[in-house]
Amino acid sequence: MNDLVSSQKRPKSLTDHVTDEIRRWVITGKLAFGEKLSEGKIAKVLDVSRTPVREAINRLETERLLTVEPQRGSFVFSIEKSDLAKLCDARICMEAYALETGIAENPEQLHHSLTTCLENMSQARKAGDDALYLDLDADFHQRIIRSANNPFITDAYQTIAPRMAALRHRLGQHPEHMEKSYREHQALCTAVGSRDLKGALNILASHIDRKEGNYWSKLASDIA
């Protein structure tokens, strides 16, 4: 009986629920970069007291999605134009290492994992569910990171993953970016399947490091 109870998923606490909601608002762009949060408004919308809202804000500050400034309040994170390139550089370092390790140590498992995710991404595109597609896009890259089987790389990646998700959702508003991104995921999956490390790394670098096109210019203007 105790095993049955322990195996059941525990319901989310109010703080968990509020944290998930605010995180989703930030990532999807419902809350803009640099926007100031109102604890009272959030509590009213989610029909909770201010206590779980404050606790959620503290959690999201540790994820660097929010910043809390004494005497001023809580704000959605913002990022300087110059930091975009640095963020891309950090991703390339970690994901390239993980990709190389995954192909060297367990290419079949990595290919199967990426193929499964890509199939789900294809279904999301067919259904016109951009939000789900972008969530799966993030999952695709998390699978690459996990293939390294290195908890230190995984932990380091999580420090930028939430902010990358927010940037990804804003880029995903541009059809040009969405189409190119999808094709590159397909090409990367194919390269992994054929164990083409050089090709896979080139595709990954191009995929992450792109800084041209109307979609990128729009994102840069949004964070100006």
Side-chain angles (χ1 to χ4, degrees), residues 55-122:
E55 292 172 349
I57 288 173
N58 289 335
R59 288 187 185 182
L60 294 172
E61 184 183 23
T62 66
E63 294 181 18
R64 301 184 184 181
L65 285 177
L66 302 179
T67 59
V68 179
E69 301 181 15
Q71 310 304 320
R72 293 196 64 225
S74 303
F75 301 82
V76 176
F77 84 98
S78 58
I79 184 169
E80 300 293 333
K81 288 183 181 180
S82 60
D83 288 334
L84 282 174
K86 295 176 183 177
L87 189 59
C88 289
D89 289 343
R91 281 192 67 194
I92 290 173
C93 287
M94 288 184 278
E95 291 193 38
Y97 165 81
L99 184 62
E100 183 172 359
T101 303
I103 291 177
E105 296 184 357
N106 206 331
E108 291 184 2
Q109 181 177 327
L110 175 57
H111 181 246
H112 175 73
S113 178
L114 296 183
T115 298
T116 299
C117 187
L118 187 60
E119 290 172 351
N120 292 332
M121 293 168 74
S122 298

Side-chain angles (χ1 to χ4, degrees), residues 170-171 173-174 213-224:
R170 286 157 178 81
L171 282 172
Q173 297 174 14
H174 305 276
N214 292 334
Y215 49 84
W216 187 270
S217 298
K218 177 63 167 59
L219 176 61
S221 68
D222 287 346
I223 65 175

